[in-house]
PDB file of all heavy atoms in Angstrom:
ATOM      1  N   ALA A 146     -14.318  -3.585 -17.071  1.00  0.00           N
ATOM      2  CA  ALA A 146     -15.677  -3.349 -17.532  1.00  0.00           C
ATOM      3  C   ALA A 146     -16.600  -2.968 -16.384  1.00  0.00           C
ATOM      4  O   ALA A 146     -17.508  -2.150 -16.545  1.00  0.00           O
ATOM      5  CB  ALA A 146     -16.208  -4.589 -18.261  1.00  0.00           C
ATOM      6  N   ARG A 147     -16.367  -3.548 -15.192  1.00  0.00           N
ATOM      7  CA  ARG A 147     -17.272  -3.308 -14.061  1.00  0.00           C
ATOM      8  C   ARG A 147     -16.568  -2.847 -12.792  1.00  0.00           C
ATOM      9  O   ARG A 147     -17.183  -2.771 -11.733  1.00  0.00           O
ATOM     10  CB  ARG A 147     -18.048  -4.590 -13.758  1.00  0.00           C
ATOM     11  CG  ARG A 147     -18.934  -5.063 -14.905  1.00  0.00           C
ATOM     12  CD  ARG A 147     -19.643  -6.353 -14.556  1.00  0.00           C
ATOM     13  NE  ARG A 147     -20.454  -6.218 -13.341  1.00  0.00           N
ATOM     14  CZ  ARG A 147     -20.950  -7.254 -12.666  1.00  0.00           C
ATOM     15  NH1 ARG A 147     -20.700  -8.493 -13.071  1.00  0.00           N
ATOM     16  NH2 ARG A 147     -21.685  -7.051 -11.590  1.00  0.00           N
ATOM     17  N   GLY A 148     -15.287  -2.537 -12.880  1.00  0.00           N
ATOM     18  CA  GLY A 148     -14.600  -2.160 -11.655  1.00  0.00           C
ATOM     19  C   GLY A 148     -13.187  -1.701 -11.880  1.00  0.00           C
ATOM     20  O   GLY A 148     -12.900  -0.961 -12.823  1.00  0.00           O
ATOM     21  N   ARG A 149     -12.277  -2.179 -11.005  1.00  0.00           N
ATOM     22  CA  ARG A 149     -10.892  -1.732 -11.034  1.00  0.00           C
ATOM     23  C   ARG A 149      -9.967  -2.922 -10.838  1.00  0.00           C
ATOM     24  O   ARG A 149     -10.322  -3.925 -10.217  1.00  0.00           O
ATOM     25  CB  ARG A 149     -10.637  -0.713  -9.918  1.00  0.00           C
ATOM     26  CG  ARG A 149     -11.504   0.531  -9.996  1.00  0.00           C
ATOM     27  CD  ARG A 149     -11.002   1.476 -11.056  1.00  0.00           C
ATOM     28  NE  ARG A 149      -9.773   2.133 -10.633  1.00  0.00           N
ATOM     29  CZ  ARG A 149      -8.966   2.832 -11.453  1.00  0.00           C
ATOM     30  NH1 ARG A 149      -9.256   2.916 -12.723  1.00  0.00           N
ATOM     31  NH2 ARG A 149      -7.890   3.405 -10.995  1.00  0.00           N
ATOM     32  N   ARG A 150      -8.759  -2.769 -11.353  1.00  0.00           N
ATOM     33  CA  ARG A 150      -7.745  -3.814 -11.227  1.00  0.00           C
ATOM     34  C   ARG A 150      -6.415  -3.185 -10.856  1.00  0.00           C
ATOM     35  O   ARG A 150      -6.069  -2.095 -11.335  1.00  0.00           O
ATOM     36  CB  ARG A 150      -7.607  -4.584 -12.539  1.00  0.00           C
ATOM     37  CG  ARG A 150      -6.599  -5.723 -12.499  1.00  0.00           C
ATOM     38  CD  ARG A 150      -6.413  -6.330 -13.881  1.00  0.00           C
ATOM     39  NE  ARG A 150      -5.444  -7.423 -13.868  1.00  0.00           N
ATOM     40  CZ  ARG A 150      -4.825  -7.884 -14.946  1.00  0.00           C
ATOM     41  NH1 ARG A 150      -5.090  -7.343 -16.139  1.00  0.00           N
ATOM     42  NH2 ARG A 150      -3.952  -8.871 -14.848  1.00  0.00           N
ATOM     43  N   GLY A 151      -5.662  -3.863  -9.997  1.00  0.00           N
ATOM     44  CA  GLY A 151      -4.325  -3.429  -9.636  1.00  0.00           C
ATOM     45  C   GLY A 151      -3.344  -4.574  -9.799  1.00  0.00           C
ATOM     46  O   GLY A 151      -3.604  -5.690  -9.351  1.00  0.00           O
ATOM     47  N   VAL A 152      -2.210  -4.290 -10.431  1.00  0.00           N
ATOM     48  CA  VAL A 152      -1.171  -5.296 -10.654  1.00  0.00           C
ATOM     49  C   VAL A 152       0.137  -4.770 -10.082  1.00  0.00           C
ATOM     50  O   VAL A 152       0.511  -3.614 -10.321  1.00  0.00           O
ATOM     51  CB  VAL A 152      -1.003  -5.603 -12.155  1.00  0.00           C
ATOM     52  CG1 VAL A 152       0.181  -6.526 -12.386  1.00  0.00           C
ATOM     53  CG2 VAL A 152      -2.283  -6.224 -12.712  1.00  0.00           C
ATOM     54  N   ALA A 153       0.830  -5.606  -9.314  1.00  0.00           N
ATOM     55  CA  ALA A 153       2.122  -5.235  -8.734  1.00  0.00           C
ATOM     56  C   ALA A 153       3.218  -6.086  -9.354  1.00  0.00           C
ATOM     57  O   ALA A 153       3.034  -7.283  -9.596  1.00  0.00           O
ATOM     58  CB  ALA A 153       2.099  -5.422  -7.227  1.00  0.00           C
ATOM     59  N   ARG A 154       4.380  -5.447  -9.588  1.00  0.00           N
ATOM     60  CA  ARG A 154       5.516  -6.143 -10.177  1.00  0.00           C
ATOM     61  C   ARG A 154       6.750  -6.005  -9.289  1.00  0.00           C
ATOM     62  O   ARG A 154       7.004  -4.932  -8.726  1.00  0.00           O
ATOM     63  CB  ARG A 154       5.807  -5.617 -11.582  1.00  0.00           C
ATOM     64  CG  ARG A 154       4.731  -5.979 -12.599  1.00  0.00           C
ATOM     65  CD  ARG A 154       5.040  -5.454 -13.988  1.00  0.00           C
ATOM     66  NE  ARG A 154       4.090  -5.958 -14.974  1.00  0.00           N
ATOM     67  CZ  ARG A 154       2.900  -5.426 -15.205  1.00  0.00           C
ATOM     68  NH1 ARG A 154       2.517  -4.360 -14.512  1.00  0.00           N
ATOM     69  NH2 ARG A 154       2.085  -5.953 -16.094  1.00  0.00           N
ATOM     70  N   LEU A 155       7.492  -7.084  -9.209  1.00  0.00           N
ATOM     71  CA  LEU A 155       8.749  -7.137  -8.470  1.00  0.00           C
ATOM     72  C   LEU A 155       9.836  -7.539  -9.448  1.00  0.00           C
ATOM     73  O   LEU A 155       9.793  -8.631 -10.016  1.00  0.00           O
ATOM     74  CB  LEU A 155       8.648  -8.152  -7.328  1.00  0.00           C
ATOM     75  CG  LEU A 155       9.927  -8.457  -6.545  1.00  0.00           C
ATOM     76  CD1 LEU A 155      10.416  -7.212  -5.813  1.00  0.00           C
ATOM     77  CD2 LEU A 155       9.692  -9.598  -5.567  1.00  0.00           C
ATOM     78  N   GLY A 156      10.791  -6.637  -9.671  1.00  0.00           N
ATOM     79  CA  GLY A 156      11.834  -6.927 -10.642  1.00  0.00           C
ATOM     80  C   GLY A 156      11.298  -7.173 -12.033  1.00  0.00           C
ATOM     81  O   GLY A 156      11.831  -7.984 -12.787  1.00  0.00           O
ATOM     82  N   GLY A 157      10.201  -6.485 -12.388  1.00  0.00           N
ATOM     83  CA  GLY A 157       9.591  -6.641 -13.702  1.00  0.00           C
ATOM     84  C   GLY A 157       8.654  -7.824 -13.820  1.00  0.00           C
ATOM     85  O   GLY A 157       7.977  -7.973 -14.835  1.00  0.00           O
ATOM     86  N   ARG A 158       8.563  -8.655 -12.786  1.00  0.00           N
ATOM     87  CA  ARG A 158       7.700  -9.835 -12.820  1.00  0.00           C
ATOM     88  C   ARG A 158       6.404  -9.555 -12.069  1.00  0.00           C
ATOM     89  O   ARG A 158       6.428  -9.025 -10.952  1.00  0.00           O
ATOM     90  CB  ARG A 158       8.413 -11.026 -12.188  1.00  0.00           C
ATOM     91  CG  ARG A 158       7.549 -12.269 -12.063  1.00  0.00           C
ATOM     92  CD  ARG A 158       8.344 -13.451 -11.573  1.00  0.00           C
ATOM     93  NE  ARG A 158       7.511 -14.635 -11.444  1.00  0.00           N
ATOM     94  CZ  ARG A 158       7.992 -15.866 -11.295  1.00  0.00           C
ATOM     95  NH1 ARG A 158       9.309 -16.065 -11.257  1.00  0.00           N
ATOM     96  NH2 ARG A 158       7.175 -16.894 -11.177  1.00  0.00           N
ATOM     97  N   GLU A 159       5.261  -9.910 -12.677  1.00  0.00           N
ATOM     98  CA  GLU A 159       3.972  -9.720 -12.029  1.00  0.00           C
ATOM     99  C   GLU A 159       3.834 -10.691 -10.856  1.00  0.00           C
ATOM    100  O   GLU A 159       3.949 -11.901 -11.027  1.00  0.00           O
ATOM    101  CB  GLU A 159       2.846  -9.941 -13.031  1.00  0.00           C
ATOM    102  CG  GLU A 159       1.457  -9.660 -12.482  1.00  0.00           C
ATOM    103  CD  GLU A 159       0.384  -9.850 -13.527  1.00  0.00           C
ATOM    104  OE1 GLU A 159       0.473  -9.191 -14.585  1.00  0.00           O
ATOM    105  OE2 GLU A 159      -0.540 -10.657 -13.281  1.00  0.00           O
ATOM    106  N   VAL A 160       3.579 -10.134  -9.652  1.00  0.00           N
ATOM    107  CA  VAL A 160       3.504 -10.988  -8.466  1.00  0.00           C
ATOM    108  C   VAL A 160       2.173 -10.881  -7.724  1.00  0.00           C
ATOM    109  O   VAL A 160       1.824 -11.781  -6.960  1.00  0.00           O
ATOM    110  CB  VAL A 160       4.662 -10.679  -7.488  1.00  0.00           C
ATOM    111  CG1 VAL A 160       5.993 -11.135  -8.072  1.00  0.00           C
ATOM    112  CG2 VAL A 160       4.707  -9.205  -7.115  1.00  0.00           C
ATOM    113  N   VAL A 161       1.421  -9.805  -7.915  1.00  0.00           N
ATOM    114  CA  VAL A 161       0.119  -9.645  -7.267  1.00  0.00           C
ATOM    115  C   VAL A 161      -0.864  -9.085  -8.291  1.00  0.00           C
ATOM    116  O   VAL A 161      -0.541  -8.162  -9.028  1.00  0.00           O
ATOM    117  CB  VAL A 161       0.183  -8.706  -6.048  1.00  0.00           C
ATOM    118  CG1 VAL A 161      -1.200  -8.592  -5.396  1.00  0.00           C
ATOM    119  CG2 VAL A 161       1.195  -9.199  -5.023  1.00  0.00           C
ATOM    120  N   ASP A 162      -2.073  -9.659  -8.310  1.00  0.00           N
ATOM    121  CA  ASP A 162      -3.122  -9.223  -9.241  1.00  0.00           C
ATOM    122  C   ASP A 162      -4.428  -9.159  -8.458  1.00  0.00           C
ATOM    123  O   ASP A 162      -4.957 -10.178  -8.024  1.00  0.00           O
ATOM    124  CB  ASP A 162      -3.232 -10.220 -10.396  1.00  0.00           C
ATOM    125  CG  ASP A 162      -4.223  -9.776 -11.467  1.00  0.00           C
ATOM    126  OD1 ASP A 162      -4.908  -8.752 -11.269  1.00  0.00           O
ATOM    127  OD2 ASP A 162      -4.319 -10.461 -12.503  1.00  0.00           O
ATOM    128  N   VAL A 163      -4.928  -7.932  -8.258  1.00  0.00           N
ATOM    129  CA  VAL A 163      -6.144  -7.699  -7.479  1.00  0.00           C
ATOM    130  C   VAL A 163      -7.193  -7.073  -8.382  1.00  0.00           C
ATOM    131  O   VAL A 163      -6.897  -6.127  -9.121  1.00  0.00           O
ATOM    132  CB  VAL A 163      -5.866  -6.765  -6.281  1.00  0.00           C
ATOM    133  CG1 VAL A 163      -7.168  -6.383  -5.581  1.00  0.00           C
ATOM    134  CG2 VAL A 163      -4.912  -7.428  -5.298  1.00  0.00           C
ATOM    135  N   GLU A 164      -8.418  -7.592  -8.314  1.00  0.00           N
ATOM    136  CA  GLU A 164      -9.508  -7.019  -9.106  1.00  0.00           C
ATOM    137  C   GLU A 164     -10.782  -6.995  -8.287  1.00  0.00           C
ATOM    138  O   GLU A 164     -11.069  -7.941  -7.545  1.00  0.00           O
ATOM    139  CB  GLU A 164      -9.734  -7.813 -10.387  1.00  0.00           C
ATOM    140  CG  GLU A 164     -10.788  -7.188 -11.297  1.00  0.00           C
ATOM    141  CD  GLU A 164     -10.970  -7.946 -12.609  1.00  0.00           C
ATOM    142  OE1 GLU A 164     -10.118  -8.785 -12.936  1.00  0.00           O
ATOM    143  OE2 GLU A 164     -11.983  -7.688 -13.285  1.00  0.00           O
TER     144      GLU A 164
END
Side-chain angles (χ1 to χ4, degrees):
R147 298 178 57 194
R149 301 283 287 167
R150 182 186 180 199
V152 174
R154 291 180 173 83
L155 173 64
R158 175 174 179 166
E159 185 178 303
V160 291
V161 181
D162 185 354
V163 173
E164 184 177 346

